[in-house]
Amino acid sequence: MAISEMSIMSVLALKTEQSGLFDVLSATGAAQIKRCRDYELAPIKSADGTNATDSGVYRDALAFLEFAYEELGDKSLPKMARDGFGVDMREFLDYGSREAEIKQTVDKIMTLSAEYNAVKADISKLNESVAAYSEYDCVKEKLAFYSSTATTAVFLGTIPADKAAAAKEVIDEIPCAEFENLGGSGSKCVVAALCLKENAEETSAALAKYAFNKCPFSDELTVAERIERLNAELNEKSEKIKEILRSAVAMNAETEKIKTYIDYLGFAKEKTAASLDCGETSKTFVMEAYVPTEAVERVETAIKDKLSAVYIESTPVPRDEFAPTLMKNNKVIGDFEAVTNMYSAPAYGALDPNGVMAFFFSLFMGIIMGDAVYGLMMIVGGFLLASKSRPGTSIYRMARVFAYGGFFAIGFGILFDSFSGLAILRNIPAYKAFYDAYVDPIGAKVSLAGITVPGALMWCLGLGTLQIAVSLVMKAVQCFTRGQVVEGIFSGLVWALALTSGVVTVFMFINGMSAVVYCMYPTLALFAVGILTAGITEKGIGKITKIFGSMYGLINYASDILSYARLYGLMLAGAQIASIFSSSIAVGMLFPKGVIGIIAGTLVIIVGNVFNLAMSLLGAFIHDSRLQYVEFFGRFYEGEGELFTPLGHSGEYTYFVS
């Protein structure tokens, strides 16, 4: 539960070995290049003039493979490589020489993509043709039958159905002209008009007045024959589409290589950016990097083994200066870094809160959930989701955080006798007596200064007060590490002891313990010392004004302590909803109605509790986080830190394995 000390490592080496140095630093996973200035990275050109680090076409290829897999809908086919797979560092660096191989694979995929698009365009045109011919499906003769001759003009087309009768009347008035309604459906009908050549213009003009649309076809086939041929072509094109998609899915085995190469291109960009942060002469360059002090020797050895000529100098970064933050926690505590980082990463010279915060976060989540079955579901679901996620990602860590909270939820669920809203342990007389007297969130009451309140609420407020006291202890520790001993004692420890003593006093008073008087006076004395010494580190009039500010600050303490009432409220709400679904509706109303009632009741228990679990988890996370960020972090935490990001370790799809 600490933040690693950082050192600035300065390296002077030959310019020809710059790329090799960056490869070595990336392999160590322990060096972040120190950025010296702002700049805009220009495109890196390859031999053919294209952008050598542009991953666009490779991403397009992956997108088409994913589309092909989803389009076929056959889950038995090989899937794409899942994101977040491990790759050996040496193998990763070899991808610099595999551009031609990867590009050839991608070209094949993009050729399939182009073929797919071309065939889809053909299918679209064929469907348009089928739709156009279908307008004339009432025409039984070959379409060429309606062609004009040397002496006659023939008009075949469509006309609005409500205008056909009027059009017929007009055409019939033209000498030697005939009009026939061939049929049709909907708002249009197919008509044919015949007239002598010399009357063609008059007939055409008359038809135009009634929105006549001439048939564009003159096939030596009937409409049915043409549609049959078009459908045959459509079937061929559809089979071609499936063939292309199957060929694409067959290349899913190559996606791991493509994704690794995309990350390599990102690494190439990082190296180029790093080179711009280096000072240089015609033959040498100098580079500075942040390296954890405990890794300096290992990094220096790796550099000297790789480079032929190099000078290295390392200097620890003082805690009052800037450096990226690298937290040193075990795997369990490390998962809670995701919660802290959502607020802000701790500053380099600050205190890492994750060890203490992890305990309180899990404790409060357990109280809010307060159900043994829910806790079990949190454990199983959390670790299952983590197993399917990339290690180290926010999703992976948060899934495990919920799983840890599940252990506390089981404990409090047993204490509260809540198993998906069903009461089981209260059937045991001894437990029922204990539950009624001390645990029942509604029935177990305590009296404080003549005011009767639920005992569970007082416990939540007490735990909240203790967390605030712990935050003040951490403030004291942070002051001590900086040599601010007086401030640490009177602004931290004194107030922490006062709050802790206050909690003990209240609970002794509630339980009518005679020793309460021996605790009350030290509590009042500690609060008095805290108030009177509030300005001990100030100068001049500040020593006086700080006292009044500290007295007013007691209101803030009371307000913050009351914020922990949300633990009781959320726990009670979730428990009542679970009880309504399981006990009141399912067991009380549906189960007595026989087999159908038992089936319906079981469904109500499952669906209702899944819904309640989801809503309770959302509320637990939001309100638990709020308590950590405001009430706990508010008294000592210094954020605005920049997380340590080793060179080459920002892969989108991959991570390095040893």
Side-chain angles (χ1 to χ4, degrees):
M1 193 181 75
I3 295 175
S4 295
E5 181 185 59
M6 285 287 164
S7 291
I8 290 286
M9 178 178 288
S10 302
V11 180
L12 176 64
L14 296 175
K15 201 170 181 180
T16 55
E17 297 185 319
Q18 187 182 71
S19 180
L21 171 64
F22 292 151
D23 289 346
V24 171
L25 293 178
S26 182
T28 64
Q32 176 180 321
I33 305 300
K34 182 180 179 182
R35 188 161 190 179
C36 301
R37 58 186 183 275
D38 293 327
Y39 49 80
E40 184 174 346
L41 186 61
I44 306 165
K45 299 296 183 181
S46 60
D48 59 2
T50 59
N51 188 343
T53 59
D54 183 10
S55 61
V57 67
Y58 303 98
R59 296 181 187 277
D60 290 343
L62 291 176
F64 180 68
L65 293 184
E66 184 175 3
F67 166 78
Y69 181 81
E70 294 298 329
E71 191 73 5
L72 282 177
D74 186 352
K75 302 306 179 184
S76 65
L77 294 172
K79 298 181 180 180
M80 296 174 63
R82 193 178 71 178
D83 295 352
F85 53 89
V87 60
D88 180 76
M89 184 66 195
R90 184 173 300 176
E91 179 185 347
F92 179 79
L93 295 176
D94 286 343
Y95 271 79
S97 61
R98 299 178 67 177
E99 178 183 4
E101 172 196 342
I102 305 299
K103 195 171 186 305
Q104 184 179 20
T105 300
V106 169
D107 286 344
K108 290 179 181 178
I109 297 171
M110 296 311 295
T111 298
L112 290 173
S113 177
E115 289 180 12
Y116 174 85
N117 291 331
V119 176
K120 287 294 287 186
D122 290 342
I123 289 176
S124 180
K125 291 178 181 178
L126 287 170
N127 282 323
E128 290 175 3
S129 296
V130 170
Y133 274 103
S134 294
E135 283 190 315
Y136 298 93
D137 57 2
C138 60
V139 179
K140 305 306 179 185
E141 303 289 341
K142 295 179 179 179
L143 293 172
F145 175 78
Y146 294 92
S147 300
S148 299
T149 66
T151 59
T152 62
V154 179
F155 300 88
L156 177 68
T158 60
I159 196 170
D162 58 349
K163 297 181 180 181
K168 177 176 175 55
E169 290 180 7
V170 173
I171 299 300
D172 287 345
E173 291 178 0
I174 299 174
C176 301
E178 294 290 338
F179 181 94
E180 183 180 359
N181 188 337
L182 301 177
S185 59
S187 61
K188 291 183 179 181
C189 60
V190 179
V191 299
L194 174 67
C195 67
L196 295 175
K197 273 286 189 188
E198 56 265 27
N199 297 326
E201 289 187 15
E202 183 181 0
T203 303
S204 177
L207 289 170
K209 290 181 181 179
Y210 295 97
F212 175 77
N213 187 22
K214 188 176 180 180
C215 177
F217 311 118
S218 58
D219 303 26
E220 289 291 343
L221 297 171
T222 65
V223 171
E225 289 172 341
R226 174 56 67 188
I227 291 178
E228 183 179 356
R229 292 192 181 187
L230 289 172
N231 285 331
E233 287 187 60
L234 280 171
N235 290 334
E236 290 179 11
K237 296 294 184 181
S238 296
E239 288 301 317
K240 180 64 176 176
I241 285 288
K242 292 179 181 178
E243 181 184 336
I244 293 172
L245 294 176
R246 281 192 288 267
S247 298
V249 171
M251 301 189 73
N252 276 348
E254 303 296 322
T255 55
E256 185 171 312
K257 296 177 183 177
I258 298 172
K259 290 183 175 183
T260 304
Y261 188 68
I262 290 175
D263 280 353
Y264 178 81
L265 294 179
F267 175 53
K269 283 186 178 181
E270 280 193 73
K271 291 204 296 183
T272 301
S275 68
L276 296 177
D277 284 315
C278 297
E280 59 182 35
T281 65
S282 59
K283 293 186 177 180
T284 64
F285 74 95
V286 62
M287 177 216 72
E288 289 188 327
Y290 292 106
V291 178
T293 300
E294 64 265 25
V296 164
E297 185 177 350
R298 174 170 63 87
V299 174
E300 287 184 354
T301 301
I303 293 173
K304 291 175 181 178
D305 289 344
K306 178 68 176 181
L307 274 60
S308 60
V310 63
Y311 171 78
I312 304 174
E313 184 177 279
S314 299
T315 306
V317 180
R319 290 290 182 174
D320 58 352
E321 295 183 11
F322 170 81
T325 302
L326 175 64
M327 289 170 274
K328 296 191 300 184
N329 292 305
N330 60 40
K331 191 170 184 179
V332 173
I333 302 301
D335 290 328
F336 287 87
E337 293 174 10
V339 178
T340 298
N341 294 341
M342 287 177 66
Y343 178 73
S344 179
Y348 170 65
L351 194 66
D352 179 7
N354 287 290
V356 177
M357 186 273 290
F359 169 76
F360 281 110
F361 191 92
S362 299
L363 175 69
F364 294 159
M365 182 168 285
I367 293 174
I368 293 172
M369 299 308 295
D371 188 281
V373 176
Y374 287 4
L376 181 61
M377 294 171 70
M378 289 167 64
I379 294 171
V380 174
F383 285 127
L384 183 62
L385 178 59
S387 69
K388 297 181 178 297
S389 304
R390 174 178 172 176
T393 60
S394 295
I395 293 178
Y396 173 86
R397 287 179 162 186
M398 290 306 304
R400 292 171 62 89
V401 165
F402 280 111
Y404 301 141
F407 289 102
F408 285 84
I410 290 177
F412 282 106
I414 294 173
L415 176 65
F416 297 145
D417 189 22
S418 181
F419 299 82
S420 287
L422 296 173
I424 297 176
L425 298 178
R426 270 169 275 180
N427 294 321
I428 304 173
Y431 176 82
K432 187 177 188 317
F434 169 76
Y435 178 88
D436 291 341
Y438 301 104
V439 178
D440 189 342
I442 300 176
K445 307 284 188 178
V446 297
S447 181
L448 180 63
I451 302 173
T452 302
V453 295
L457 172 61
M458 293 303 299
W459 279 107
C460 290
L461 297 180
L463 289 173
T465 307
L466 291 177
Q467 188 187 30
I468 293 174
V470 171
S471 73
L472 292 166
V473 171
M474 296 189 74
K475 177 182 180 179
V477 171
Q478 191 156 263
C479 289
F480 294 156
T481 59
R482 295 172 178 174
Q484 301 166 338
V485 178
V486 174
E487 183 175 353
I489 292 174
F490 292 102
S491 296
L493 290 183
V494 169
W495 283 99
L497 289 171
L499 291 173
T500 304
S501 180
V503 171
V504 175
T505 300
V506 169
F507 278 90
M508 291 177 70
F509 181 81
I510 288 173
N511 291 285
M513 300 175 67
S514 58
V516 65
V517 67
Y518 299 108
C519 193
M520 181 175 62
Y521 291 122
T523 300
L524 295 175
L526 285 167
F527 276 112
V529 171
I531 292 171
L532 294 174
T533 59
I536 196 169
T537 59
E538 300 294 323
K539 295 181 180 179
I541 192 67
K543 292 182 178 291
I544 305 299
T545 57
K546 267 286 189 178
I547 294 175
F548 292 101
S550 182
M551 293 175 65
Y552 180 78
L554 290 175
I555 299 175
N556 292 332
Y557 277 113
S559 174
D560 290 345
I561 291 170
L562 288 175
S563 291
Y564 289 86
R566 71 188 66 231
L567 297 175
Y568 172 76
L570 291 168
M571 177 269 291
L572 188 61
Q576 288 301 307
I577 293 173
S579 179
I580 289 171
F581 282 123
S582 299
S583 184
S584 300
I585 297 178
V587 176
M589 297 172 58
L590 296 175
F591 279 10
K593 302 202 179 284
V595 175
I596 296 178
I598 292 174
I599 295 174
T602 302
L603 289 175
V604 167
I605 290 175
I606 294 173
V607 175
N609 280 283
V610 168
F611 169 78
N612 190 36
L613 173 64
M615 296 303 294
S616 296
L617 279 175
L618 179 62
F621 176 74
I622 292 173
H623 291 281
D624 198 348
S625 297
R626 191 259 181 207
L627 290 173
Q628 310 309 317
Y629 297 157
V630 179
E631 273 66 42
F632 185 55
F633 285 177
R635 287 174 171 78
F636 74 95
Y637 186 65
E638 295 177 5
E640 303 301 325
E642 178 186 305
L643 291 176
F644 178 70
T645 307
L647 177 67
H649 286 250
S650 302
E652 180 180 352
Y653 302 108
T654 63
Y655 65 92
F656 296 133
V657 294
S658 55

